[in-house]
C-alpha cells in the first residue's frame, strides 16, 4: 500500500461515505464477515489469520502468493479468513468487493478463484483505464470475470447479483467491519486477533514462517479463543 494511503481513519470514512448508508450503521450482521479459505484448517482448532484485502490494491495482490503458500503449508494448524476492504482511492474497489460477495453467495468454492482473477487482471480496473467507463459497463465486465470463475451459466445470475440488496449489504458490512477493527488500508493482517506490524505492506514467505512457526510449536495449532468466531 502506498504511503499516501496511510491516512487517518476519519478521513477514510469521509472519503467513502458516498457508498455507505448511515441508517444502517447500527445494524449487527447475522454472521461474522469474511471468506474462509478452503485450503486452510478448521477455525476452532487452529491459529487464525485474518487478512483485510482490497482486490484492486497492488500490495494486496503481492501479499497473496506467500500467504496462500504458508497457510496451505501449515494446514490444518493454521486457518485463514479474508475480509474484503475496498479503499476509496480505487474507484472500482467497492464493486470488486461486491463481486466477491456475489461469487460467495452463488458458489462459495469460487470466491478465491475470483479473487485471484482480480489479482491477475487488476490493472484493467485501475482508475485510469476505466475513467470513461460507466458503472454499468464495469459491472458487466466484472460479471464476465465472475462467470469465468463460476462457469458461463452463471453470467446472468452474476449480473443480477449487482442489483441484489443482500450482496450490497454484505459489501457494506465488510467495510464497516474493517473500520471497527481500526483497519485503514490494505493489506492488514491479524493473527489470533492481534494486528501484525507493518500494516499496509505485503509480508514475505520468510516473514510468515517466522511468525507462525513458533505459534505452531508452542500450542500445536489449538486456539481456544477461536470459539468466539464460531
Amino acid at each position: 500500500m502506498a504511503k499516501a494511503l496511510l491516512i487517518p481513519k476519519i478521513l477514510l470514512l469521509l472519503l467513502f461515505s458516498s457508498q455507505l448508508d448511515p441508517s444502517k450503521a447500527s445494524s449487527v450482521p447475522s454472521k461474522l464477515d469474511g471468506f474462509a479459505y478452503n485450503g486452510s484448517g478448521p477455525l476452532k482448532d487452529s491459529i487464525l489469520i485474518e487478512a483485510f484485502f482490497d482486490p484492486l490494491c497492488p500490495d494486496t495482490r503481492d501479499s497473496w502468493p506467500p500467504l496462500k503458500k504458508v497457510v496451505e503449508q501449515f494446514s490444518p494448524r493454521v486457518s485463514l479468513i479474508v475480509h474484503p476492504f475496498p479503499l476509496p482511492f480505487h474507484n472500482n474497489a467497492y464493486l470488486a468487493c461486491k463481486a466477491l460477495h456475489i461469487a460467495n453467495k452463488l458458489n462459495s468454492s469460487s470466491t478465491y478463484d475470483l479473487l485471484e482473477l482480480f489479482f491477475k487482471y487488476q490493472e484493467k480496473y485501475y482508475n485510469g483505464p476505466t475513467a470513461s467507463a460507466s458503472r454499468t459497463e464495469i459491472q458487466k465486465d466484472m460479471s464476465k470475470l465472475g462467470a469465468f470463475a463460476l462457469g458461463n451459466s452463471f453470467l446472468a445470475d452474476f449480473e443480477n447479483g449487482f442489483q441484489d440488496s443482500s450482496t450490497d449489504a454484505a459489501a457494506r458490512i465488510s467495510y464497516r467491519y474493517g473500520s471497527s477493527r481500526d483497519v485503514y488500508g490494505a493489506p492488514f493482517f491479524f493473527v489470533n486477533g492481534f494486528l501484525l506490524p507493518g500494516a499496509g505492506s505485503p509480508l514475505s514467505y520468510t516473514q510468515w514462517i517466522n511468525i507462525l512457526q513458533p505459534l505452531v510449536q508452542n500450542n500445536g495449532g489449538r486456539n481456544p479463543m477461536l470459539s468466539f468466531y464460531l
Side-chain angles (χ1 to χ4, degrees):
M1 182 181 63
K3 290 183 179 179
L5 299 185
L6 292 173
I7 60 175
K9 178 183 173 184
I10 184 64
L11 180 57
L12 184 66
L13 288 169
L14 289 172
L15 288 169
F16 204 51
S17 60
S18 62
Q19 293 178 320
L20 294 177
D21 186 350
S23 67
K24 299 178 181 178
S26 61
S27 61
V28 176
S30 59
K31 62 179 182 179
L32 184 72
D33 176 73
F35 311 123
Y37 182 56
N38 291 334
S40 61
L43 296 184
K44 185 177 180 180
D45 295 326
S46 63
I47 295 164
L48 176 63
I49 300 173
E50 291 178 275
F52 288 81
F53 277 1
D54 178 343
L56 302 187
C57 169
D59 283 333
T60 294
R61 176 194 61 201
D62 295 343
S63 73
W64 175 237
L67 175 59
K68 178 181 179 181
K69 180 178 180 180
V70 78
V71 167
E72 293 182 348
Q73 177 178 331
F74 281 105
S75 179
R77 293 185 173 185
V78 170
S79 58
L80 169 66
I81 291 179
V82 165
H83 303 280
F85 189 77
L87 297 174
F89 307 97
H90 303 146
N91 293 342
N92 302 311
Y94 178 75
L95 292 179
C97 289
K98 189 173 181 179
L100 292 177
H101 281 288
I102 295 170
N104 193 66
K105 183 176 181 179
L106 294 174
N107 183 351
S108 60
S109 65
S110 70
T111 309
Y112 280 86
D113 292 335
L114 180 57
L115 178 63
E116 291 183 339
L117 285 173
F118 272 124
F119 291 155
K120 182 177 181 179
Y121 299 106
Q122 190 180 81
E123 293 183 4
K124 71 180 293 188
Y125 296 112
Y126 286 173
N127 296 355
T130 59
S132 61
S134 68
R135 184 182 179 94
T136 299
E137 289 172 333
I138 295 169
Q139 288 177 172
K140 285 185 175 296
D141 194 87
M142 288 185 177
S143 295
K144 293 178 182 178
L145 199 66
F148 187 80
L150 280 84
N152 291 332
S153 62
F154 284 93
L155 178 59
D157 290 332
F158 211 100
E159 290 177 342
N160 292 334
F162 278 106
Q163 313 307 320
D164 186 345
S165 60
S166 66
T167 53
D168 186 66
R172 295 171 188 270
I173 286 170
S174 290
Y175 180 79
R176 284 173 24 223
Y177 180 70
S179 297
S180 75
R181 300 281 297 275
D182 288 326
V183 172
Y184 53 85
F188 266 48
F189 299 108
F190 293 78
V191 173
N192 289 344
F194 285 81
L195 178 64
L196 295 183
S201 299
L203 293 177
S204 68
Y205 173 75
T206 300
Q207 287 174 303
W208 276 117
I209 290 293
N210 291 337
I211 292 167
L212 296 175
Q213 187 70 55
L215 298 178
V216 171
Q217 291 176 343
N218 288 341
N219 65 12
R222 298 188 63 84
N223 184 3
M225 289 178 61
L226 292 185
S227 60
F228 169 79
Y229 291 95
L230 301 179

